[in-house]
Amino acid sequence: MDIAKLTDWGIPAEQIKPLIIAGPCSAESEEQIMQTATELAEMNVPIFRAGIWKPRTRPGSFEGVGAIGLQWMKRAKQETGMLTATEVANPTHVFEAIKTGIDILWIGARTAVNPFAIQEIADSLQGVDIPVILKNPVNPDIDLWVGGIERLYNSGLTKLAALHRGFSGLEKSPLRNEPQWQLPIELRRRLPNLPLICDPSHICGRRDLLSSISQKAMDLDYQGLMIETHCNPEVAKSDKEQQVTPEILKHIIDGLVIRSTQTDDLDFQRGLAELRTNIDRLDTSLLELLGKRMEVAQQIGELKKENNITVLQSGRWDEIVQRVQMRAAKFGFSNEFTDKLFKAIHEESIRLQEDIMN
Ligand code: PEP
Ligand code: MN
């Protein structure tokens, strides 16, 4: 895919370190839009966001002001010079947004799950040269995310970016949406030229975690951040807990440590190469060790088969979990990591034993 660079969006290179997109979750009034935009423009934020049509989980919550909000965005653009961005979920939204001169469109997480909806939006954008940002679908399905990008690209759009806003999950966590960082990392591997932006606001769901998630995104070499910013978050009509004032946003951005992906320093390069050789060697040993473990699991499978015993004895699995958790704690591993690791190993053992039994 021949995807355009962020600089082709008409944003100066010095504003892409990282690119900041900020503005309220929802446009609520002309005053709120103008005040927030003015304060953000003073901080040199290049892109102003606001939701006009809001996809809310339950009916009866504030569902956005509708097309009138686009007029407020237009005024904000004229008076501040910022580019404007809004969410579109269908061709009518696309039509209204483009008609009012919105510069950048984004597709939300709830729309991203639906290939019909993405295709309709892509079709409605044929022949239009506008940047489109695709949020990750709410479910952690990398193919769906990549597929959405492909649909937009096939419509002739090249100014594309992916926006990581986390995934709905059942697990209890302080975060609103699980980041599942391995997914955007995989997206980057598959589409290395696609700009990747992080939305810490919807990942966190609360203000106090925004800095650390933003820093993590920077350390994973994301090109930008979209952070919900409201001139008065306390009275926000949606996502009140996660919105920050422009002043706090400035504090978050100023606190970021931006590291580079490479250096010419030879000592560093040598040191890194040596450590990486070490890692590669250890990975090979890990695989060999796992291979040996699987061989034993297969022998157990044979034994169970001869004696007509089930593959799974849950008591035994419980014992393994407890034993490894205790040992892993000594290395400072999180319970979550040990749990995931051994679940994967156990699942593969079961698969191999099933092969032997049947
Ligand atoms: C938003 O950006 O305000 C929004 C609705 O986000 P998401 O689609 O990620 O839920
Ligand atoms: Mn929001």
Side-chain angles (χ1 to χ4, degrees):
M1 273 194 231
D2 192 11
I3 291 167
K5 296 194 183 70
L6 285 178
T7 41
D8 299 329
W9 292 21
I11 305 155
E14 64 273 15
Q15 281 184 310
I16 310 180
K17 282 178 180 176
L19 172 69
I20 303 293
I21 304 172
C25 177
S26 308
E28 296 165 5
S29 69
E30 188 163 9
E31 295 68 41
Q32 170 239 17
I33 286 294
M34 289 313 299
Q35 191 184 332
T36 310
T38 309
E39 290 177 30
L40 290 171
E42 276 165 18
M43 293 166 48
N44 250 336
V45 169
I47 304 177
F48 181 67
R49 66 148 278 159
I52 298 295
W53 302 281
K54 298 302 296 178
R56 305 308 300 283
T57 305
R58 310 264 318 259
S61 340
F62 175 64
E63 296 193 306
V65 292
I68 179 73
L70 295 171
Q71 299 300 330
W72 310 336
M73 298 279 283
K74 187 176 180 175
R75 187 179 155 209
K77 177 182 168 165
Q78 281 165 351
E79 293 187 20
T80 67
M82 272 190 282
L83 298 178
T84 50
T86 199
E87 173 173 348
V88 291
N90 60 43
T92 313
H93 296 165
V94 169
F95 177 77
E96 294 284 343
I98 290 179
K99 194 177 71 181
T100 333
I102 294 287
D103 302 284
I104 296 162
L105 306 176
W106 88 79
I107 298 173
R110 291 163 191 78
T111 310
V113 294
N114 184 348
F116 287 135
I118 300 285
Q119 192 59 52
E120 276 191 350
I121 294 171
D123 290 344
S124 72
L125 283 166
Q126 285 229 357
V128 186
D129 182 27
I130 190 169
V132 180
I133 303 171
L134 181 63
K135 288 208 180 196
N136 66 256
V138 282
N139 54 325
D141 184 339
I142 184 80
D143 287 311
L144 204 51
W145 201 4
V146 172
I149 293 289
E150 287 168 341
R151 285 177 198 281
L152 296 165
Y153 185 78
N154 291 344
S155 251
L157 296 157
T158 58
K159 292 173 185 153
L160 297 169
L163 205 168
H164 172 218
R165 50 79 78 196
F167 303 88
S168 309
L170 297 172
E171 277 162 48
K172 261 184 110 91
S173 149
L175 298 171
R176 177 175 173 191
N177 289 293
E178 283 304 317
Q180 304 216 20
W181 297 99
Q182 75 284 1
L183 268 104
I185 290 172
E186 172 62 12
L187 182 75
R188 164 73 58 76
R189 193 185 68 77
R190 295 214 208 165
L191 301 172
N193 300 325
L194 183 71
L196 184 57
I197 300 167
C198 183
D199 168 352
S201 303
H202 291 87
I203 290 178
C204 297
R206 47 192 266 192
R207 290 182 264 279
D208 58 333
L209 303 173
L210 291 174
S211 283
S212 65
I213 294 292
S214 302
Q215 182 61 51
K216 173 129 186 184
M218 293 301 98
D219 290 336
L220 293 175
D221 195 27
Y222 283 51
Q223 279 96 333
L225 295 169
M226 181 192 265
I227 301 184
E228 286 190 340
T229 312
H230 190 297
C231 55
N232 188 1
E234 291 316 316
V235 300
K237 291 187 176 164
S238 59
D239 289 351
K240 173 174 155 174
E241 304 298 327
Q242 70 196 31
Q243 299 204 63
V244 290
T245 58
E247 193 189 340
I248 302 279
L249 176 72
K250 185 168 183 336
H251 187 73
I252 293 172
I253 297 169
D254 289 347
L256 291 174
V257 182
I258 308 295
R259 301 174 167 101
S260 39
T261 52
Q262 51 207 15
T263 158
D264 294 334
D265 187 301
L266 286 179
D267 278 345
F268 167 80
Q269 284 173 357
R270 227 172 282 128
L272 184 66
E274 212 170 282
L275 290 170
R276 283 186 169 162
T277 310
N278 224 336
I279 287 272
D280 290 348
R281 218 178 284 135
L282 288 167
D283 280 346
T284 309
S285 307
L286 267 176
L287 283 172
E288 276 164 10
L289 210 56
L290 277 173
K292 280 188 196 149
R293 191 191 190 282
M294 293 304 169
E295 264 169 39
V296 178
Q298 280 168 313
Q299 288 165 9
I300 294 178
E302 304 276 2
L303 198 63
K304 285 177 181 167
K305 184 179 180 178
E306 279 160 27
N307 292 278
N308 220 14
I309 299 290
T310 53
V311 165
L312 184 72
Q313 282 89 42
S314 53
R316 168 65 182 155
W317 171 232
D318 211 40
E319 204 182 287
I320 292 180
V321 173
Q322 290 194 17
R323 206 172 59 89
V324 294
Q325 290 281 23
M326 222 154 66
R327 302 213 161 190
K330 275 193 219 149
F331 298 103
F333 298 162
S334 69
N335 276 350
E336 194 196 354
F337 166 74
T338 314
D339 203 56
K340 266 196 206 150
L341 178 67
F342 275 84
K343 264 188 191 146
I345 294 173
H346 189 233
E347 246 170 56
E348 187 63 4
S349 290
I350 289 179
R351 189 186 68 80
L352 292 171
Q353 292 193 356
E354 281 282 330
D355 276 353
I356 288 169
M357 306 284 258
N358 305 301

